[in-house]
Amino acid sequence: MYSRPFQAGEKVQLTDAKRRHFTIELVPGGQFHSHKGIVEHDEIIGAEEGTVVTSTLGADYLCFRHLLVDHVLSMPRGAAVIYPKDAAQILVEGDIYMGARVLEAGAGSGALSMSLLRAVGPEGTVFSYEVREDHLEYARANVAEYFGEEPAWWQPRLGDFGAVTREDLGGPVDRLILDMVEPWHFIDTVKQLLIPGGVFMTYVATVPQLMNIMESIREAKCFTEPRAWETLLREWKVEGLATRPEHRMNAHTAFLVWTRRLADGVTPPRPQRKARR
């Protein structure tokens, strides 16, 4: 899809001089209207990506197809999405590799599902559990719109994650990610579904949630000492001597918690902490 001229029926993102984005679906004979004039769809159809089109009032617009990040930030939502800065951390820290069997719960609006599906590829499998039917419908629609159809290696499922068994999945999974309000209630389920050495990550928004999941992982005594962090993203405005940080930034969205499953029967070493004075 990235190596051909624009086709009718495709979605195109127009970017103006102020970096404002407008998404349109190309229709023969169609028009994009704004206070800066009219852009004819026919001027975009058949043009190469990266083209500049000019409106009837002289405004220039850059034309590009959506990248994954554009799709995630503009798609309809039934639930809050995992933002790209956190999804990127999950892919790398979670070691999501081609061919992996990955389980996520809950699927929300499908933002993380798309990143996981691209990472594991057709050789892998992504199981996406969601307890709310309306949220799962959003996820299925958003994923299908991005890929053109639901990928064959994706298994979206409506149901309670706590009731999932290895038999439901055809065996254990390599990686497991939870995005839910009370993930600490499902530690036993995680233990049963995840292979020894497998990575378990959670995405929680508040400090009480963070404290509960960290302590629950430690109390289970079948995981490594968990790590927790948040990612703060700040862009910079670079214009000669006016170079400075942007006034607005993507600050706290959630905490990520990371740990690995131990082999059965193994007791984790007790972490050594500095003595308090």
Side-chain angles (χ1 to χ4, degrees):
M1 66 175 291
Y2 293 109
S3 60
R4 64 179 185 179
F6 291 119
Q7 306 292 313
E10 289 187 326
K11 287 192 174 182
V12 175
Q13 182 171 270
L14 306 182
T15 305
D16 67 11
K18 293 185 177 180
R19 295 194 300 176
R20 291 175 296 195
H21 302 308
F22 307 90
T23 299
I24 63 173
E25 184 173 333
L26 295 177
V27 178
Q31 294 179 325
F32 166 70
H33 292 256
S34 76
H35 68 286
K36 293 292 184 68
I38 300 171
V39 172
E40 301 288 344
H41 288 201
D42 289 339
E43 294 185 18
I44 304 174
I45 297 173
E48 293 291 341
E49 196 166 1
T51 295
V52 175
V53 293
T54 304
S55 73
T56 54
L57 295 181
D60 290 332
Y61 292 89
L62 277 168
C63 303
F64 284 100
R65 290 185 177 91
H66 269 189
L67 300 178
L68 177 58
V69 63
D70 301 315
H71 184 71
V72 166
L73 295 179
S74 65
M75 69 188 189
R77 303 176 187 179
V81 300
I82 293 180
Y83 276 81
K85 70 182 180 71
D86 297 315
Q89 296 273 321
I90 290 171
L91 292 182
V92 175
E93 295 280 355
D95 192 40
I96 309 300
Y97 59 91
M98 187 174 293
R101 286 167 49 84
V102 182
L103 187 152
E104 63 161 341
S109 297
L112 182 61
S113 306
M114 288 180 278
S115 294
L116 295 174
L117 287 163
R118 293 214 316 182
V120 305
E123 298 84 359
T125 306
V126 174
F127 302 92
S128 299
Y129 276 85
E130 176 55 56
V131 72
R132 288 185 50 170
E133 185 173 4
D134 57 335
H135 287 179
L136 186 62
E137 288 304 313
Y138 271 105
R140 298 186 75 155
N142 288 329
V143 169
E145 182 177 6
Y146 179 72
F147 285 96
E149 61 182 359
E150 287 191 8
W153 60 100
W154 187 39
Q155 296 198 27
R157 298 181 177 184
L158 180 67
D160 181 4
F161 171 69
V164 178
T165 65
R166 285 194 176 193
E167 288 70 28
D168 296 327
L169 308 175
V173 295
D174 305 302
R175 305 289 185 260
L176 201 151
I177 302 116
L178 297 185
D179 175 18
M180 53 180 62
V181 177
E182 298 179 329
W184 49 89
H185 291 318
F186 303 96
I187 296 299
D188 287 342
T189 304
V190 173
K191 176 184 176 182
Q192 295 302 317
L193 300 180
L194 192 60
I195 64 168
V199 177
F200 168 41
M201 295 189 69
T202 60
Y203 179 90
V204 291
T206 69
V207 172
Q209 288 176 303
L210 174 63
M211 295 167 62
N212 283 334
I213 186 61
M214 291 285 284
E215 291 306 316
S216 296
I217 290 172
R218 289 169 178 150
E219 290 171 4
K221 297 187 183 303
C222 59
F223 297 96
T224 59
E225 174 66 10
R227 296 167 44 222
W229 71 93
E230 64 175 337
T231 302
L232 310 179
L233 178 64
R234 182 175 68 179
E235 292 192 8
W236 278 64
K237 183 176 183 180
V238 182
E239 295 180 358
L241 296 178
T243 297
R244 57 167 175 76
E246 290 283 4
H247 295 306
R248 295 182 179 181
M249 66 179 292
N250 292 322
H252 177 76
T253 49
F255 299 103
L256 292 175
V257 179
W258 178 100
T259 187
R260 297 187 72 176
R261 164 94 147 76
L262 296 174
D264 292 334
V266 173
T267 301
R270 183 175 180 179
Q272 296 184 356
R273 298 182 174 90
K274 292 182 180 180
R276 296 180 180 177
R277 294 183 178 180

